[in-house]
Every structure is written in C-alpha cells, then in structure tokens.
Amino acid sequence: MAKNFSTRQENYSQWYNDIVIKADLAENSAVRGCMVIKPYGYAIWEKMQSALDKMFKDTGHSNAYFPIFIPKSFFSKEASHVKGFAKECAVVTHYRLKNSDDGKGIIVDEDAKLEEELIVRPTSETIIWDTYKNWIQSYRDLPILVNQWANVVRWEMRTRLFLRTTEFLWQEGHTAHATKDEAIAETKQMLNIYADFAENWMALPVLKGTKSPNERFAGAIETYCIEALMQDGKALQSGTSHFLGQNFAKAFDVKFLSKENKLEYVWASSWGVSTRLMGALIMAHSDDNGLVLPPKLAPIQVVIVPIYKKEEQLAQISEKANQIKKALQKKGISVKYDDRDTFKPGWKFSEYEFKGVPVRLVIGPRDLENETVEIARRDTLEKEVLKITDIENKVEHLLEQIQKNLFQKAYSFREDNTYKVDSWNEFKEIIDKKGGFLLSHWDGTEETEEKIKEETKATIRTIPLDNNPEEGKCIYTGKPSKQRVVFAKAY
RNA sequence: CGGGGUAUAGCGUAGUCCGGUUAGCGCGCCUGCUUUGGGAGCAGGAGGUCGCAGGUUCGAAUCCUGCUACCCCGACCA
C-alpha cells in the first residue's frame, strides 16, 4: 500500500502530500480546497485538542460556541479587520432552493434573498464582541475568558492539505479585561501555553516573538506568534496570540463601569491554533519511510504483531500479547494488538512504520521459547530483542526517550539551520541555497521589509521576545538597528 | 485570480499526435491451495457511462467547444 512514495530530497512537497494521503491522515474532498480528515488523522487532532483544552481550562478558560454566520454589518465595524479579511470571505445570500423551470435540476430561489447577507466566519471577533457588549456592564463582569472549538472558512487561492485549506478546524480564545496590562498578560500567557504545547507535546521547538506590522493580525495592536522551522528550511507560523487593545470594544461599544465609577472601554485578546499544526507535526519529524509521530500525540503508541505458523501457535502468542497489552494499558499506554490473519507480518511492519507508530513489539515462536520480545522504535528504526520481564516499564521508558529524541533532533536541525547574517550578499545566498532562520538587523520600516520580500521571498517571521539588544546596521539599507529579527521563507 | 500541465477500474498507467475488433498492463480486490521473523507464490475470477456536458462523424478514450477537479509556478494567506 505505501510503496513508491517520494523522498524529501526528490520532491519535498510531493513527499508531504504522499505522507498525508498514504498514512491515511486526510484526503481531498469533492469540494474545492476542503479536506476530509480521516479517522487516523482526526485521532491525532483529537489528542492535540484534549491536551490544549486541558491547558486552557487549567488557566481559567471556559468553552462556549458562537454562530458560524456573521451579519455583514458586524463585520465591517472594525476597519482594519474588514480590510484584512474581505478578500477571502464566503457569503450567504439566499436561504432556499427550488426546482428549475425545465425540471432538470435545482436552482437558487431568487425570492429567498436575505435582507442582510451573512458572512461565513473567517474568525469570530466581531460576533463575539457584539455578544460581549451584552455581557459586560461592570468591572465585576470581567475578565471574560472564553474559548471556542470551531470551523472557519477563508477562501484561499491555493490550498494544501492541513497547511492551508478553505475550511479548517481551530480553537479561538476571546478574552475581555478591565485593564491593558491584564489583557497583555493574557496574550503572553497564551503564547507561552502554545509554545509549551508545541515543545512538550509535538516535540517541536518554536521561537516566540512578535510580528512586524506587515504580518500583524487585522485589528490587533500587537501579534505574538510561535514560529517553527520545517525540514525544507521554510518557517511555519504555528500559533498566534493577539493583543487587540480597545479596537473591538470601541467598534462594538463595549464599556464597563470601573471601581472608580468611570465608564471605560474593555481591553481584549484573541488567540488560536488550527489544524495547520498537523502539517507542522508531519513536516517536523517524518522521514523517507513515512510519518513519524511523537508518542504523546500518537493514536497508537505501541503495536504488537504476532508471528506464527499454526493456529495453536497464534493462540499461545495471543495469550502473551494480551498480557502485555493489558500491562501497557494499565500504564495509560495505547496499544493495538494486530492479530489479523489477512495481512503478513512484513506487510504490517511497513504499514505501521509508514503511519508513524512509535513502538512495535513482535512476538514469534522463538520469543515464546526464550521469554523475549523484539522491540523496534520508529524514530531511529532500531530493533532489539528484550527479555519479556518488566516489559511495560521498558516500553514506557522507551516512549519517553522517543519523545525526547524527536525534540532533540528537531532542535539540532533548527540550530544547524539558523544563521547570523550581516551582509546582504550572504543573506541572498543563504535564503536561496539553504533556507532556514536568518538572524539579521532590520531598520524597522515596512518599506524595507517589503523590498526584502520582493527580492528574496523572505519575510520577517518574528521579532524574538528573548532578544538581546545589539547595535547593528540594517541588512538591506545599512541604517542603524537595535536588534536582530528572524527572516525566513514561510508557508 | 494569471501562466503551465493532468484527468482511462480503488491506485498507478498504455492507447490520444494519425478516429475503426471485445480499451491493454501492474498493484490492489474476490475464491482456493501452499505460505507467515521486513510489503509471499501459484491457479482461477470480478471490476470501465475512458472527469462532466454538448458538438463533428457511418463510427469518438482519440477531433472541436464549454465546464469541473487536481498538480506545479506566481499573487494572497494561519
């Protein structure tokens, strides 16, 4: 099944597509730009969701749900917001179909035109702030810490499975605060949660920082982001957290009475990660043998494959395998015992390898005799034969090791592909030939960023938060600069 | 949305230029037997409105027109 797929070197984007399709993560649907997330892919997303959801709840947030449709008039209330999203909105204009006059099909009933068109949400700030207006009167009503898990639609020109689809799944947090400082603290807290999730669950090292004005969210005062480096040397924005100031409060007239009995506008944040994280996960760790998953997000952490000649042998092996399965499950490890007789062991090995299952246990007649089991790890493809005693602790330990190793590998890759660059020629050379993160000085102007983008396709991915101030000269204009920023080509 | 390419069985493809038997092959699928420590072997079998809609023709996978989807490159973007 998973034979004949591309390698990263041959064709990186084909390699990515092959993994998504052949590892059964997702496929294209009958609707242009929209994907079907298949059970195996969705299981990974569910693991991401539950880990993130717990982190949100642990920091005081609650889930709620707002409509998928937004009245057009709401949408246009915040000027830069509408400007940023107008070009990619799906619009509902009618609410009824009818049979066509020639009886051959079904058409839109022109009599059923909506008084006011509805926008399919590309994000929910407007409908949520219109709602918050009714929820907030006094400082006692604040803060509001709400998240929603939802689908959104952005009508993109070019789509790629998980990385950019017309409809995608995400979570969007929308918070309301009495003070500016509190809203900024919330924005930063959520950024840290995203970074924590990326590094500890996805085994994906990320840079934390802010966006340049060019790349800022439409309607935000400041956009914070986490940026990760993919194996082809391109950057992937993996999560954003926005400090919205009072922009939406002013647009929707959301005020509260402070302790001092003064009427003030509410301060806001919003933050989100999407199914794009699936793309990041795939591109961060996978190899030319297929998907590689960090144990903490793998739907199946351990697969057990029996090898046998006769039915009675299978019965003996199954007994042993089920014992191991139970012992592992007791430790909270997800195990699949694949005793299907319709596939041969070699076929199963390749299958689970391609699907990125972190650990494979093999039990055959030899193992029954010797009280052993063969254990193979997906990240390094190493195999060894272990005594079956205490196997659950050995497996648990190995899963932890794999999780660490994947992070370490991704981290070294990023280190090896991050360059301090001070000459424009070198900058162009590295961006063109190698890719990666380039740390260079920037004069802080939009014009310079635009020019660099035109000439090299590289953009400022982030202005790192943990930056050491350093006097220098802009890589492009030579004007004075106080810190380095991160340039890269981006997804 | 602009440029280029592709569309034939579940998947990959031959045939298309130059119209003419029953549209061929590999993988997969089904049945049976032999197999099982890295994608098994043999035998038999099923599966096709040739992307969709028109047109030209005695005759269209093949020629013409329109549409749709997908891939690559740009612009846009999480």
Side-chain angles (χ1 to χ4, degrees), chain A residues 449-460:
Chain A
E449 186 181 6
E450 201 53 49
K451 287 247 171 65
I452 292 174
K453 186 181 176 186
E454 276 169 31
E455 288 186 38
T456 64
K457 288 172 192 158
T459 49
I460 297 173

Side-chain angles (χ1 to χ4, degrees), chain A residues 56-71:
Chain A
F56 299 159
K57 304 251 172 81
D58 286 349
T59 44
H61 302 86
S62 307
N63 287 333
Y65 189 78
F66 295 83
I68 190 172
F69 300 121
I70 299 174

Side-chain angles (χ1 to χ4, degrees), chain A residues 141-350:
Chain A
D141 298 322
L142 296 171
I144 295 178
L145 304 172
V146 162
N147 174 65
Q148 83 166 340
W149 290 95
N151 59 339
V152 286
V153 166
R154 296 182 188 175
W155 215 266
E156 302 289 352
M157 294 300 165
R158 243 178 102 188
T159 59
R160 290 195 69 193
L161 291 168
F162 288 121
L163 295 172
R164 180 172 304 110
T165 45
T166 300
E167 179 194 23
F168 57 94
L169 306 183
W170 78 346
Q171 57 68 214
E172 46 181 326
H174 295 272
T175 67
H177 307 266
T179 67
K180 178 180 180 180
D181 286 351
E182 197 183 305
I184 292 176
E186 165 76 5
T187 311
K188 289 182 178 171
Q189 171 185 248
M190 299 322 289
L191 181 78
N192 286 327
I193 283 179
Y194 288 155
D196 181 9
F197 173 76
E199 304 205 328
N200 292 314
W201 289 79
M202 298 175 66
L204 181 69
V206 290
L207 295 179
K208 292 188 282 190
T210 57
K211 285 292 189 190
S212 66
N214 264 345
E215 302 273 332
R216 201 174 277 156
F217 175 74
I221 304 286
E222 185 82 272
T223 288
Y224 294 80
C225 63
I226 52 172
E227 291 281 330
L229 187 62
M230 303 293 102
Q231 290 184 62
D232 61 348
K234 284 167 82 174
L236 187 77
Q237 178 175 308
S238 307
T240 49
S241 183
H242 313 290
F243 169 57
L244 301 174
Q246 295 172 312
N247 288 351
F248 286 90
K250 285 177 179 164
F252 289 88
D253 194 32
V254 187
K255 294 178 194 163
F256 71 101
L257 268 179
S258 68
K259 276 184 190 167
E260 294 77 31
N261 199 30
K262 272 168 45 188
L263 206 50
E264 291 176 28
Y265 284 113
V266 175
W267 297 86
S269 88
S270 71
W271 28 275
V273 295
S274 71
T275 35
R276 181 177 240 205
L277 287 179
M278 294 286 293
L281 188 70
I282 295 160
M283 285 198 287
H285 307 304
S286 301
D287 61 23
D288 293 341
N289 297 299
L291 186 64
V292 176
L293 291 174
K296 281 174 138 182
L297 293 177
I300 302 167
Q301 293 173 309
V302 177
V303 65
I304 307 175
V305 177
I307 291 171
Y308 58 94
K309 289 202 169 115
K310 298 171 206 149
E311 281 299 316
E312 63 199 49
Q313 238 169 23
L314 175 62
Q316 285 177 305
I317 290 167
S318 291
E319 196 188 327
K320 192 60 85 180
N322 283 319
Q323 278 170 17
I324 295 173
K325 182 177 171 181
K326 264 189 198 150
L328 289 172
Q329 282 174 330
K330 228 176 184 174
K331 289 194 159 285
I333 297 168
S334 60
V335 191
K336 176 172 174 173
Y337 174 45
D338 188 353
D339 61 350
R340 288 177 298 174
D341 192 37
T342 45
F343 294 94
K344 296 190 54 178
W347 192 94
K348 292 176 186 173
F349 295 172
S350 303

Side-chain angles (χ1 to χ4, degrees), chain A residues 374-437:
Chain A
E374 183 191 86
I375 184 163
R377 54 189 284 183
R378 176 62 182 90
D379 58 337
T380 60
L381 297 171
E382 288 165 337
K383 287 193 283 199
E384 62 178 320
V385 176
L386 294 180
K387 280 284 171 196
I388 211 157
T389 334
D390 204 26
I391 190 70
E392 65 271 24
N393 285 318
K394 291 171 186 167
V395 169
E396 184 181 41
H397 180 65
L398 182 59
L399 288 169
E400 284 163 13
Q401 267 191 318
I402 293 172
Q403 183 80 28
K404 276 187 200 144
N405 179 48
L406 288 177
F407 179 83
Q408 224 14 269
K409 244 160 95 175
Y411 187 81
S412 318
F413 177 84
R414 191 184 76 186
E415 293 292 290
D416 293 345
N417 289 280
T418 299
Y419 311 94
K420 271 194 179 179
V421 182
D422 292 312
S423 102
W424 180 235
N425 280 335
E426 197 191 346
F427 186 99
K428 286 191 288 191
E429 173 87 7
I430 294 177
I431 275 291
D432 191 47
K433 300 264 160 61
K434 301 182 189 165
F437 284 150

